[in-house]
Amino acid sequence: MKRIAYLTVLSGLFVFAPVRSEDNVYRQLIDLEAHSGNGSILVVWEVPEKIEVQSVKLYRTQNSFSNAILVFETNTATDRYLDKEVAGTRPYFYSIEIESSVGELFSSVADAPPFAKPVFDYGLRPTLSQSEKIIANYDYKTLDQFHGQILGNVLIKLLTTMDSNQVDIIRAMIFPIDAEPRSWISYAGFNGVSEFEGVFSDESFSNLRIELEDAMVRLGFSVKNQFLLTSAEWKNQAIKFTDRIIHRLSTVQDLLYQETDILNSSHPVLPLGSWVNTDGFSFIRLGILDAELVQTIVLRDDQNEFILDKETYADAEIIDVELDDSMEKIELIINGVLQQIMPYPQEANGYGLTIDNQFFMLADSLTAPPLIVSIPVTQFCLNEIANSPESQQIAVEVHGNVTETHVLGLFIDDYLVWEFTPTLSFEPMFIDSAFTWNTDQLFMWLDLKEVDEFGNWQLIDTRAIFTERQITEGRIPDHQRWKTYSFSTLGAPNDLTRSGTAKLMIPEIFALYQNYPNPFNAQTTISFDLLQPALVSLYINDAAGRIIHLFFEESQMGKGLYSYSWSGESYSSGVYFMTIQAQIDDYLPVVYSRKMIYLK
């Protein structure tokens, strides 16, 4: 026990008298605070800087007639203690002693000890609602757990026009704050998303902020000690919590608008992926966005055709349909119109499709694909693909912002066909190349990969292409949703408005593909697609614009794919340009060039 002496003053208050040890050891003063709480007192002290703590001893007493008892002792540099062994309405007084590893002694002011009560004076107690009393009296494991309770309570108070399930969905979208938000569709379903559009407004943001701040202040009296926070610390964290909630609310609001736009522009039935289950049966998963707009759903290939019974999708949002194992592809036909052609799943290659039509490979190929609205595109992506079954050639464009060095690779069916390092630039890059394919497979998987810090290829984008179909598809706008269109914009932004206008003025004659390989150190291949008969010239320019190699000039050529090899061995390293000029009928000639890099 430690006895603390008091001096009695005329006012009847007690103050600590200075304490001097018998060996006259000097004690340096440190700050000590005591904070009243709901059945507890939080004691906070200053830990001197640059010392190694040998011991910390905290003492407590209620009057000058009893010994101060040791209530807490540690050999760590902790700076606070929650005293729960207190009761009643009288104050408790505290003192502290800290000793360093070299014998230095520190103590709180002896003649002005801090004090606090384990209850709040009646006039200081805030008025709590019944639900807030329940929140205040709960024993929380973490501060996040408390934040979740108070957020739910405030949302119930504000969202009076919504049922409990809708309030729970909004709370789940907002909280936990640091978690990656799930999609609104995953909680509300395809048809329930629109019910939340009216929730977000400037007024609702303001009301939520006010209610959260007020609730945090009211409940702070009861719970702040539980989280070892002083009044000032509680106020600061309450402001930070409210700011983070408002920021999160803005994020999920944007997500709601994005998902609403995607749903409004989608077909009434969407493919969500295909896989082989653990029993070896193949399935396709379909999302039914609006059953009222669906007259027929047909799955077929060249040999099979299956018409789904309306009862299977009339009241469902997601259905799984077993596929015939003799199928080679999956054609999804809605109301008599071919909507999409997809690969038949292989046992080790199950895949999914997002609501906005991005392919992704399943982490577990034996389980059904999850419902994903969209996959955030990384720094680089497949941006445009043009497939020509007649010429057996596919052109691929990669888009991205190149602010640091990256090594990228395009794989076709797991075979590396194009490895390149984009040139650093502050402008978005559009790099494309063309490849001749020779396969008897109905589908090709195009994988864009990047070399990671360990030298391994990591998948960043993927797309399945039906080899027998002439198709041009791209992300519109760039880096966004996939769409199919009738002409290519390879090597340029996918701006269909601008491209459509240009198409009216300039006839669509050819597509000049990027040479491959590029850069090159010996020979490179130059390819172009002539879309209609024309007078064509093809030549190589140097950086000064001089023609250094002429393949042919004003040659009448028919429709088709043409490829030519060019060797730079007779020339110095540097930048060169391949240029094509074509003319049809009475139109002016169309001229287009692409840059090539020759490295000896």
Side-chain angles (χ1 to χ4, degrees):
M1 296 286 186
K2 174 186 175 184
R3 178 172 292 279
I4 300 177
Y6 288 93
L7 293 178
T8 304
V9 295
L10 293 177
S11 64
L13 297 176
F14 292 105
V15 294
F16 279 107
V19 177
R20 176 175 293 179
S21 62
E22 295 179 358
D23 55 3
N24 290 319
V25 175
Y26 175 71
R27 287 174 169 80
Q28 301 179 55
L29 297 180
I30 56 175
D31 292 332
L32 180 69
E33 300 174 358
H35 299 269
S36 299
N38 185 22
S40 65
I41 295 175
L42 176 65
V43 187
V44 180
W45 56 87
E46 171 193 8
V47 178
E49 296 181 358
K50 300 180 180 179
I51 72 164
E52 182 179 344
V53 173
Q54 178 70 28
S55 68
V56 176
K57 296 179 180 180
L58 180 68
Y59 298 91
R60 179 189 68 212
T61 188
Q62 274 195 296
N63 54 60
S64 60
F65 307 106
S66 61
N67 291 326
I69 63 172
L70 179 67
V71 295
F72 176 68
E73 183 176 10
T74 182
N75 59 0
T76 64
T78 184
D79 67 347
R80 60 195 63 202
Y81 172 72
L82 184 62
D83 191 358
K84 296 181 179 180
E85 302 299 321
V86 288
T89 59
R90 293 181 58 192
Y92 288 83
F93 297 84
Y94 293 87
S95 64
I96 194 168
E97 289 183 352
I98 298 178
E99 183 178 357
S100 74
S101 59
V102 295
E104 297 172 291
L105 295 179
F106 304 84
S107 65
S108 55
V109 177
D111 58 355
F115 63 90
K117 300 177 182 180
V119 294
F120 292 105
D121 292 334
Y122 182 78
L124 296 177
R125 297 177 189 173
T127 302
L128 301 180
S129 66
Q130 188 60 38
S131 60
E132 287 177 333
K133 289 178 181 178
I134 295 174
I135 294 174
N137 292 322
Y138 190 80
D139 185 18
Y140 296 98
K141 303 298 183 184
T142 65
L143 186 57
D144 269 354
Q145 191 179 10
F146 168 75
H147 284 159
Q149 291 295 320
I150 197 171
L151 174 63
N153 194 62
V154 168
L155 290 175
I156 291 173
K157 181 178 179 180
L158 292 177
L159 303 175
T160 55
T161 61
M162 292 197 158
D163 59 37
S164 59
N165 182 59
Q166 292 171 321
V167 173
D168 288 343
I169 289 174
I170 294 176
R171 179 185 177 277
M173 289 297 297
I174 298 174
F175 197 84
I177 305 173
D178 296 325
E180 187 71 25
R182 291 179 60 182
S183 68
W184 288 92
I185 294 174
S186 65
Y187 285 114
F190 298 124
N191 298 315
V193 172
S194 59
E195 299 174 359
F196 296 90
E197 292 184 45
V199 172
F200 302 101
S201 65
D202 291 341
E203 183 180 2
S204 64
F205 275 61
S206 176
N207 290 341
L208 180 60
R209 178 182 289 278
I210 292 171
E211 288 294 334
L212 276 178
E213 289 178 349
D214 288 348
M216 290 291 288
V217 170
R218 289 194 303 273
L219 288 163
F221 281 87
S222 302
V223 302
K224 62 181 177 60
N225 275 13
Q226 188 178 148
F227 301 110
L228 304 182
L229 294 174
T230 67
S231 297
E233 291 169 341
W234 181 262
K235 181 179 179 180
N236 289 335
Q237 78 83 26
I239 293 173
K240 291 180 180 178
F241 167 66
T242 304
D243 287 343
R244 292 171 65 206
I245 286 292
I246 297 302
H247 181 267
R248 173 74 167 201
L249 191 63
S250 177
T251 299
V252 299
Q253 177 192 34
D254 292 342
L255 190 60
L256 175 65
Y257 294 157
Q258 175 191 348
E259 292 185 28
T260 301
D261 288 343
I262 291 173
L263 290 177
N264 289 340
S265 60
S266 296
H267 297 286
V269 179
L270 293 178
L272 300 178
S274 189
W275 77 105
V276 180
N277 70 5
T278 53
D279 296 323
F281 297 108
S282 300
F283 286 85
I284 183 173
R285 173 162 287 188
L286 301 176
I288 312 299
L289 275 62
D290 193 338
E292 293 183 358
L293 297 179
V294 181
Q295 283 79 50
T296 58
I297 300 177
V298 177
L299 300 173
R300 75 179 185 194
D301 67 357
D302 295 337
Q303 306 297 327
N304 306 279
E305 181 174 282
F306 305 95
I307 302 175
L308 272 62
D309 190 328
K310 286 187 176 182
E311 292 184 0
T312 62
Y313 58 83
D315 299 317
E317 288 201 340
I318 294 179
I319 60 173
D320 295 332
V321 182
E322 185 177 348
L323 300 170
D324 191 285
D325 58 10
S326 65
M327 297 180 72
E328 295 182 340
K329 62 181 177 180
I330 309 170
E331 293 185 0
L332 176 62
I333 302 170
I334 307 299
N335 300 337
V337 178
L338 176 63
Q339 182 172 309
Q340 192 155 350
I341 305 175
M342 295 161 290
Y344 189 84
Q346 303 299 316
E347 188 168 342
N349 291 304
Y351 62 88
L353 279 160
T354 63
I355 302 299
D356 64 352
N357 197 29
Q358 297 183 71
F359 280 90
F360 61 93
M361 306 310 295
L362 299 181
D364 183 351
S365 60
L366 297 178
T367 59
L371 177 62
I372 298 177
V373 177
S374 183
I375 298 174
V377 181
T378 57
Q379 185 173 354
F380 301 97
C381 69
L382 299 171
N383 201 55
E384 185 175 359
I385 299 170
N387 181 55
S388 173
E390 182 179 351
S391 60
Q392 290 190 308
Q393 188 170 67
I394 188 167
V396 181
E397 176 187 86
V398 176
H399 174 262
N401 292 292
V402 192
T403 56
E404 55 187 22
T405 302
H406 296 266
V407 178
L408 304 178
L410 179 70
F411 291 73
I412 297 181
D413 292 336
D414 295 326
Y415 179 74
L416 178 62
V417 297
W418 183 24
E419 181 176 340
F420 59 102
T421 302
T423 305
L424 298 180
S425 173
F426 292 106
E427 298 295 327
M429 71 158 195
F430 298 89
I431 302 178
D432 65 281
S433 192
F435 311 92
T436 299
W437 50 264
N438 182 17
T439 178
D440 56 0
Q441 300 294 322
L442 290 178
F443 286 87
M444 292 185 294
W445 282 97
L446 306 184
D447 295 334
L448 180 64
K449 299 184 180 183
E450 180 179 7
V451 175
D452 64 15
E453 57 183 323
F454 304 107
N456 300 317
W457 288 107
Q458 298 296 332
L459 180 67
I460 56 177
D461 201 3
T462 187
R463 194 82 181 154
I465 299 297
F466 182 43
T467 57
E468 296 181 357
R469 187 182 186 189
Q470 177 95 25
I471 189 172
T472 299
E473 59 179 10
R475 295 180 183 270
I476 301 175
D478 297 303
H479 238 78
Q480 302 298 318
R481 293 188 65 184
W482 284 97
K483 294 182 181 179
T484 301
Y485 40 94
S486 60
F487 57 94
S488 70
T489 60
L490 290 164
N494 294 344
D495 185 343
L496 294 192
T497 302
R498 184 178 66 182
S499 300
T501 303
K503 191 180 177 186
L504 296 176
M505 297 183 295
I506 301 175
E508 188 177 353
I509 305 175
F510 59 81
L512 177 63
Y513 303 114
Q514 186 66 55
N515 62 302
Y516 180 79
N518 187 46
F520 64 99
N521 61 8
Q523 286 193 334
T524 189
T525 300
I526 298 169
S527 301
F528 64 89
D529 236 333
L530 200 58
L531 306 181
Q532 51 186 304
L535 284 174
V536 183
S537 301
L538 181 68
Y539 48 88
I540 305 295
N541 306 80
D542 62 14
R546 296 184 295 260
I547 297 177
I548 61 171
H549 182 84
L550 179 65
F551 291 97
F552 45 82
E553 186 174 17
E554 294 188 353
S555 174
Q556 182 66 45
M557 304 178 72
K559 176 182 176 182
L561 172 69
Y562 297 87
S563 295
Y564 299 90
S565 294
W566 182 66
S567 173
E569 292 181 353
S570 302
Y571 304 94
S572 59
S573 297
V575 175
Y576 295 88
F577 296 88
M578 51 180 176
T579 301
I580 185 173
Q581 174 182 303
Q583 182 178 11
I584 60 171
D585 302 329
D586 296 327
Y587 286 97
L588 292 173
V590 178
V591 181
Y592 188 71
S593 297
R594 282 188 178 274
K595 182 169 66 175
M596 306 185 298
I597 299 176
Y598 175 49
L599 301 175
K600 281 193 173 181

